[in-house]
């Protein structure tokens, strides 16, 4: 680079700051982008190599190669004492679901752990994505003897195989079913966010799962879930837990009628449940007390497991209407109902199926909803949002369903019905704007310039591209 270039006359600190902004803008954490900075000029190389924050984000992707280990070693050295943000994506797009035939085995994961474990005291976040169980097992094994992890704030371990959430499905491979404590059971003082997707640990020694603010339990096999008592111990150790997500199977609740204790979650603001069968969903909901909940997500994940599944959510929605919701209460610490209907302002429904009238009763239970997200929902539900008595001439108040609604986010729904709903609500109350969007994932979005595209645009509905 020309020494007289304006970029080359920037002060060292300013140039380093610009590099840091560039590093933060690299969405895929790819190392090549940072290495390129060291090949522009001698001065840029000097600035980059002495700016530790540029080298703290390290990504490994399938297939693992000597080159990846080489650049990772360079990053670890150049980052100095700076905290590390790690992403290890070991998924093979062409994997044939044969556990023993996966390219990522014990030896490959052992090499990863031997490289990164000496720097464990610098870990700030780790996301590990794997197809098979061996990399997860190796991670738990090689991390069980750590003594201190003062900086670790976020941990996500995912065995990306929803198959194990099928009803009655037990853990495989049986030989590696052994439960191990997370990081040997030590207390990690900074850990606040944990996501375990198809990854079980020794639930009887969950010392690392303390003081969390976010916890995700997803896609467990039926024989490795925590007991209800173990789950309750975990959440009781997290008094400031504000976000909880359970997908497929959470704690083993057994016979709900035998449990007298309620699980109090006074700080919880967001709860997400992906259900397979409504019986378990109702049983779990009946045990939870979330008086300060503001965001509720209900998702039917059965079709992820098998396209032939067709779950009627009517029992769950009916239970909400009759048992799950109470008016606002001043004594939130001893709330006897699932949640307070006046506090919930954000509702998300995905793939949920039920008769129209059941949906009507369910939505009426949430008069304070301001943001509604609908994904893969039948026209019947969407038509309930149409303002005016035309929605149901026999019920004059039907046009006032969700009167506080200000934002409507839809994905893979009927565009015509959405236009009708948004237009009617806008016309009935032009002084209260309704922000609406439509995202197409399973279907192609309407091409720009077509009549449907123009009608969506005229109705003020933003078309969101799936990237």
């Amino acid at each position: 680079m020309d020494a007289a270039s304006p970029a080359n006359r920037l002060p060292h600190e300013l140039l380093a700051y610009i590099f840091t902004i560039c590093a933060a803008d690299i969405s895929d954490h790819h190392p090549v982008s940072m290495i390129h900075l060291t090949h522009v000029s001698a001065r840029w190389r000097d600035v980059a190599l002495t700016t530790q924050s540029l080298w703290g984000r390290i990504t490994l992707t399938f297939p693992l190669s000597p080159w990846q280990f080489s650049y990772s070693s360079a990053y670890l050295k150049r980052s100095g004492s700076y905290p590390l943000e790690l992403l290890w994506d070991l998924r093979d797009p062409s994997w044939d679901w044969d556990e023993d035939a996966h390219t990522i085995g014990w030896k490959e994961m052992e090499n990863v752990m031997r490289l990164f474990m000496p720097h464990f005291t610098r870990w700030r976040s780790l996301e590990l994505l794997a197809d098979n169980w061996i990399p997860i097992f190796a991670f738990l094994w090689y991390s069980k003897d750590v003594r201190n992890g003062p900086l670790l704030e976020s941990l996500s371990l995912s065995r990306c195989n929803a198959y194990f959430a099928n009803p009655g499905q037990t853990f495989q491979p049986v030989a590696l079913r052994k439960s191990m404590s997370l990081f040997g059971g030590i207390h990690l003082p900074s850990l606040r966010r944990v996501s375990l997707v198809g990854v079980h640990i020794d639930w009887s020694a969950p010392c690392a799962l303390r003081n969390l603010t976010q916890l995700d339990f997803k896609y467990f096999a039926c024989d490795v879930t925590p007991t209800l008592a173990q789950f309750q111990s975990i959440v009781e150790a997290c008094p400031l837990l504000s976000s909880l997500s359970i997908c497929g199977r959470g704690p083993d609740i057994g016979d709900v009628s035998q449990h007298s204790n309620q699980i109090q979650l006074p700080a919880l603001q967001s709860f997400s449940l992906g259900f397979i069968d409504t019986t378990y969903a109702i049983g779990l909901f009946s045990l939870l007390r979330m008086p300060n909940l503001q965001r509720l997500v209900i998702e039917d994940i059965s079709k992820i497991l098998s396209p032939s599944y067709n779950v009627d959510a009517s029992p769950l929605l009916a239970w909400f209407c009759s048992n799950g919701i109470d008016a606002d209460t001043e004594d939130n610490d001893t709330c006897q109902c699932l949640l307070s209907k006046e506090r919930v302002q954000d509702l998300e429904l995905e793939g949920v199926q039920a008769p129209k009238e059941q949906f009507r009763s369910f939505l009426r239970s949430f008069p304070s909803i301001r943001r509604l997200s609908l994904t893969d929902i039948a026209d019947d539900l969407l038509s309930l949002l149409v303002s005016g008595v035309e929605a149901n001439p026999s019920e004059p108040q039907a046009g006032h369903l969700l009167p506080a609604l200000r934002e409507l986010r839809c994905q893979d729904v009927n565009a015509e019905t959405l236009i009708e709903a948004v237009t009617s609500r806008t016309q009935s109350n032009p002084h209260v704007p309704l922000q609406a969007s439509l995202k197409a994932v399973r279907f192609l979005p309407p091409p720009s310039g077509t009549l449907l595209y123009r009608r969506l645009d005229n109705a003020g509905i933003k078309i969101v591209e799936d990237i």
Side-chain angles (χ1 to χ4, degrees), residues 262-278:
Q262 300 167 344
I263 300 177
Q264 298 288 343
L265 298 165
L268 201 70
Q269 297 182 13
S270 174
F271 180 70
S272 176
L273 177 67
F275 68 89
I276 303 171
D277 66 87
T278 57

Side-chain angles (χ1 to χ4, degrees), residues 357-423:
E357 292 310 310
Q358 190 61 69
F359 268 125
R360 186 193 303 278
S361 299
F362 175 73
L363 292 179
R364 279 181 172 172
S365 302
F366 295 93
S368 299
I369 293 296
R370 298 181 62 85
R371 290 171 296 277
L372 178 64
S373 295
L374 303 175
T375 299
D376 193 18
I377 294 294
D379 293 355
D380 280 352
L381 171 57
L382 199 55
S383 67
L384 290 173
L385 300 180
V386 176
S387 182
V389 297
E390 292 80 10
N392 188 343
S394 66
E395 299 185 19
Q397 297 302 315
H400 301 287
L401 202 61
L402 304 182
L405 188 64
R406 299 294 180 269
E407 183 177 350
L408 177 60
R409 297 166 296 197
C410 296
Q411 177 180 312
D412 296 332
V413 301
N414 187 302
E416 296 286 354
T417 309
L418 177 59
I419 292 171
E420 183 183 6
V422 172
T423 302

Side-chain angles (χ1 to χ4, degrees), residues 202-223:
D202 182 359
W203 305 115
S204 64
C207 295
L209 303 183
R210 298 173 57 189
N211 298 321
L212 303 179
T213 58
Q214 177 180 327
L215 178 61
D216 297 341
F217 277 178
K218 299 182 178 182
Y219 300 112
F220 289 124
C222 67
D223 56 341

Side-chain angles (χ1 to χ4, degrees), residues 275-279 300 302-303 309-317 351-355 358-359:
F275 68 89
I276 303 171
D277 66 87
T278 57
T279 302
D300 180 353
S302 61
K303 283 188 170 56
Y309 286 164
N310 186 21
V311 178
D312 180 4
S314 296
L316 176 59
L317 302 186
V352 180
Q353 301 180 60
Q358 190 61 69
F359 268 125

